[in-house]
Amino acid sequence: MPPASLDNSVTAWVDECARLTRPERIHWCDGSEEEYRRLVSGMLQDGTLLELDPKRHPESYLHRSHPSDVARSENLTFICSDQKDDAGPTNNWMSPRDAIQKLTPLFEGSMKGRTLYVVPYLMGPVGSRYSRMGIEITDSPYVAASLKIMTRMGKVALDHLGGSADFVRGLHSLGDLSPDRRFVCHFPEQKLIWSIGSGYGGNALLPKKCFALRIGSWMARQEGWLAEHMLILGLEDPEGRVTYMAAAFPSACGKTNLAMLVPPASQKGWKVWTVGDDIAWMHFGKDGRLYAVNPEAGFFAVAPGTSTKSNPNMMATIAKNTIFTNVALTSDRRPWWEGMDGPAPAEAVDWQGNPWKPGSSKAAHPNSRFTTPARQCPALSARFDDPEGVPISAILFGGRRARVAPLVFEAFDWRHGVFLGATMGSETTAASTGQVGVIRRDPMAMIPFCGYNMADYFAHWLRVGAKSDEAAPTIFHVNWFQTGPDGSFLWPGFGENMRVLRWILARCRGEADAVRTPIGYLPTRESIDLSGLDLSDDSVRKLLSVDREAWTRELAEMKAFFERFGGRMPEELWQEHDRLTHRLQLEAA
Ligand code: OXD
Ligand code: MN
């Protein structure tokens, strides 16, 4: 039964969706523990979930998605704005009318024999003026249960909505899971999402990428804030002072690990507090500072590579109440993936349910995931639920670059920082379908997630920061992934990234030296703590220097990327490109 307090438009929309999809029954989610348990027990009965060893993994389950449905389908993701130009050259576009015409027959009767779940959810802390409401209609109990973990779901959300009709509508159906009939369509002007044919998190958990980033970025531009693909962390110094930073990296480039970093023994007294691992909603306050909230309540993170070495906090987080997707299953019913601690099991069942032995194919899918509650993270910030958010002192942009980008450098000012974000490049990963390991321009790590023309997005960034001048965060670029001639990483990464965070913090406080180079301020060798690291002089030189020739080659690629936006590209960014060209030429002379 729908709660009585609802605006008629909510029930009218649910009725309309039910008429289209013809479910056997409708269930309004209240977000209770009991409801979650019922969802789980139904899925255990029909095999959608498998129970893990309840002693070692209490209340934790394995889900296997369809083998053709294991990552975000960027080629099937569309922005359906009224005007094609408003979606811009980096998005697939379909007219709203064509999208409705194409998808309506796919939704017709798609929920026959299934339950339609109405899932109200809140994005952002309870009681925050920055939080926003959404309702997802789905025929997937896996989605409904995952949303209980990933959002503030059910009654708490409806209480926030009150009698208002202002919420993002999301209609999702598994359909027949055929890639030929799979579409993820966003109608930003209507605050509406239609997704069919996929049960994969990034396509089916609509609050995450679809709402919090694609529709969110559209709303943010209209309302003057920023919806970003960024982690949020608090860096505590040995005196107990906490400074907050936000960082954008493309999918599967270590955002979650950085957000939960545990410093090595050499970094005594330092600590990282986790506010968010994937998405930041940020508003400039009256004091000119930028404040960030994490709209999510859980983590949907990549499993392979996660271990007590790479991310002990995450290993502790996933110890219970966690849904694993597409990982391997050991004979004692434990989850397993490549890069986990200890030796590989002698045998297991792979992510597709087939017998597996070490040395054969991958046991876990490279984009296998877990969905786990943020409140279980031992490093969760005390300000996770702060309705006002946390003040951001530094913004980090980064990518996966084997060459070109040094370990860390600082932008000259906000405008140059926006240029650094706008020209970010990274090697592609398994988080999306398509070729892995090729360099693509991924401005602010938002290329798959910006819900409108990215030229307008850059203009928006320039505009919001310009208002705040001095109080705006300082912008940095980092790259943990530079490799040497033998292909091995030059920088140890993981906990040792604390050394880079400390340099960034010291720069924000005006306490660290830097050299001015054509691309920005780089650390002097003495200003960054490299003590005790096993780094050759040559590695240090490569990590902390500018490869002028490589940057000159980059200029051409940046130019080609900017040209895609034609006359809509902000003039300021072309000027930044000219200035960089000029600085590189001067240095060569
Ligand atoms: C994610 C992604 O799932 O970026 O966070 O793909
Ligand atoms: Mn992400």
Side-chain angles (χ1 to χ4, degrees):
M1 282 286 287
S5 60
L6 287 185
D7 183 272
N8 288 343
S9 62
V10 182
T11 39
W13 172 64
V14 173
D15 288 348
E16 188 192 313
C17 293
R19 271 196 304 278
L20 176 64
T21 57
R22 299 200 291 279
E24 193 164 305
R25 61 193 91 72
I26 298 182
H27 174 79
W28 286 75
C29 290
D30 61 16
S32 63
E33 294 301 324
E34 195 222 330
E35 173 183 81
Y36 179 78
R37 273 196 293 274
R38 256 186 288 125
L39 284 167
V40 165
S41 91
M43 287 190 279
L44 287 171
Q45 267 163 37
D46 71 12
T48 306
L49 293 183
L50 299 173
E51 191 175 22
L52 299 174
D53 173 4
K55 281 218 179 65
R56 299 168 93 159
H57 298 275
E59 310 284 336
S60 296
Y61 310 95
L62 168 63
H63 172 67
R64 295 194 184 114
S65 71
H66 190 276
S68 73
D69 187 28
V70 289
R72 282 183 291 99
S73 320
E74 288 180 16
N75 55 332
L76 304 171
T77 299
F78 291 84
I79 300 299
C80 306
S81 48
D82 290 344
Q83 301 299 317
K84 183 169 189 205
D85 271 357
D86 288 339
T90 59
N91 279 311
N92 300 317
W93 177 81
M94 222 191 287
S95 78
R97 180 200 291 241
D98 286 353
I100 297 288
Q101 252 172 28
K102 207 184 226 343
L103 271 64
T104 298
L106 304 179
F107 274 113
E108 253 161 23
S110 68
M111 297 192 187
K112 265 192 207 154
R114 301 181 188 164
T115 301
L116 177 158
Y117 299 94
V118 184
V119 191
Y121 59 86
L122 181 65
M123 298 304 279
V126 175
S128 170
R129 59 195 152 137
Y130 304 130
S131 296
R132 295 284 186 279
M133 263 296 299
I135 300 184
E136 174 161 352
I137 289 179
T138 178
D139 54 5
S140 160
Y142 164 78
V143 167
S146 300
L147 292 185
K148 161 86 175 141
I149 298 175
M150 293 303 296
T151 67
R152 286 121 175 137
M153 187 267 250
K155 183 173 174 322
V156 63
L158 289 178
D159 288 349
H160 178 97
L161 184 66
S164 157
D166 187 14
F167 65 96
V168 170
R169 292 160 169 72
L171 172 61
H172 167 254
S173 171
L174 295 169
D176 63 6
L177 288 178
S178 158
D180 300 335
R181 285 178 288 282
R182 179 176 301 157
F183 292 97
V184 187
C185 288
H186 305 72
F187 304 84
E189 279 109 345
Q190 286 74 36
K191 293 193 192 162
L192 174 70
I193 306 153
W194 271 20
S195 168
I196 185 148
S198 170
Y200 172 72
N203 300 326
L205 305 179
L206 304 186
K208 193 173 180 58
K209 302 300 186 181
C210 301
F211 174 177
L213 290 177
R214 297 197 190 97
I215 301 282
S217 59
W218 180 288
M219 287 162 59
R221 180 180 47 150
Q222 284 182 328
E223 298 168 12
W225 49 283
L226 294 166
E228 300 302 326
H229 191 202
M230 289 185 181
L231 67 90
I232 311 164
L233 64 80
L235 178 58
E236 183 175 323
D237 69 14
E239 286 77 48
R241 292 176 294 176
V242 183
T243 304
Y244 295 91
M245 303 180 178
F249 302 98
S251 310
C253 284
K255 276 212 305 296
T256 306
N257 291 347
L258 185 64
M260 296 182 187
L261 181 148
V262 175
S266 65
Q267 305 296 302
K268 202 160 169 285
W270 292 88
K271 184 156 179 48
V272 163
W273 296 104
T274 312
V275 183
D277 81 324
D278 195 40
I279 299 175
W281 281 0
M282 305 194 285
H283 298 73
F284 278 97
K286 285 209 179 66
D287 57 1
R289 300 199 67 184
L290 188 61
Y291 288 83
V293 295
N294 172 8
E296 302 188 281
F299 308 122
F300 173 67
V302 178
T306 308
S307 68
T308 46
K309 174 171 182 283
S310 66
N311 195 337
N313 280 321
M314 187 54 105
M315 291 306 279
T317 308
I318 60 177
K320 56 184 180 191
N321 303 317
T322 298
I323 302 179
F324 296 86
T325 303
N326 296 335
V327 302
L329 182 65
T330 65
S331 50
D332 51 355
R333 303 195 76 70
R334 307 196 65 187
W336 190 81
W337 50 79
E338 281 73 14
M340 205 195 230
D341 306 281
E347 55 177 28
V349 175
D350 75 5
W351 66 277
Q352 298 194 63
N354 300 317
W356 176 90
K357 282 210 181 310
S360 54
S361 52
K362 296 248 185 259
H365 186 275
N367 191 39
S368 53
R369 301 268 176 155
F370 37 73
T371 309
T372 192
R375 66 185 142 74
Q376 292 180 184
C377 175
L380 196 70
S381 163
R383 294 184 66 177
F384 177 73
D385 280 314
D386 190 332
E388 290 306 316
V390 293
I392 299 294
S393 297
I395 290 179
L396 282 55
F397 291 125
R400 184 180 280 272
R401 297 299 304 261
R403 315 238 174 289
V404 185
L407 181 61
V408 55
F409 59 100
E410 178 188 330
F412 298 121
D413 51 29
W414 179 267
R415 183 173 130 150
H416 179 233
V418 175
F419 175 75
L420 295 185
T423 52
M424 256 167 72
S426 192
E427 291 151 26
T428 51
T429 68
S432 139
T433 49
Q435 215 185 334
V436 170
V438 295
I439 299 279
R440 79 164 168 182
R441 294 282 136 201
D442 191 352
M444 281 88 166
M446 281 289 278
I447 206 115
F449 306 121
C450 184
Y452 62 100
N453 191 316
M454 283 202 111
D456 299 347
Y457 169 78
F458 301 143
H460 179 57
W461 261 83
L462 290 165
R463 207 168 35 240
V464 289
K467 279 197 288 200
S468 272
D469 295 327
E470 295 295 286
T474 312
I475 298 181
F476 297 82
H477 189 286
V478 299
N479 176 28
W480 321 132
F481 299 98
Q482 226 186 114
T483 53
D486 63 352
S488 61
F489 292 116
L490 294 181
W491 178 247
F494 302 111
E496 302 296 356
N497 292 336
M498 176 55 89
R499 297 166 190 262
V500 177
L501 296 183
R502 282 178 53 201
W503 184 79
I504 290 172
L505 176 64
R507 287 296 294 168
C508 292
R509 291 180 175 165
E511 291 169 0
D513 283 342
V515 267
R516 195 182 159 96
T517 76
I519 64 166
Y521 295 110
L522 259 74
T524 58
R525 240 178 135 111
E526 296 69 38
S527 65
I528 184 161
D529 174 14
L530 302 176
S531 58
L533 290 180
D534 184 18
L535 292 176
S536 68
D537 279 354
D538 193 44
S539 296
V540 174
R541 194 184 46 73
K542 284 201 178 106
L543 287 164
L544 301 184
S545 65
V546 181
D547 179 343
R548 206 186 49 78
E549 272 164 33
W551 277 91
T552 306
R553 282 195 298 277
E554 271 303 271
L555 283 171
E557 283 181 34
M558 293 172 180
K559 178 163 176 280
F561 181 67
F562 281 6
E563 275 168 354
R564 293 179 63 192
F565 298 92
R568 231 155 143 149
M569 192 67 192
E571 192 43 40
E572 291 95 322
L573 293 189
W574 276 120
Q575 286 166 6
E576 286 299 332
H577 188 272
D578 288 349
R579 288 180 189 175
L580 175 60
T581 312
H582 185 66
R583 289 192 300 263
L584 286 163
Q585 280 163 356
L586 270 186
E587 173 135 311

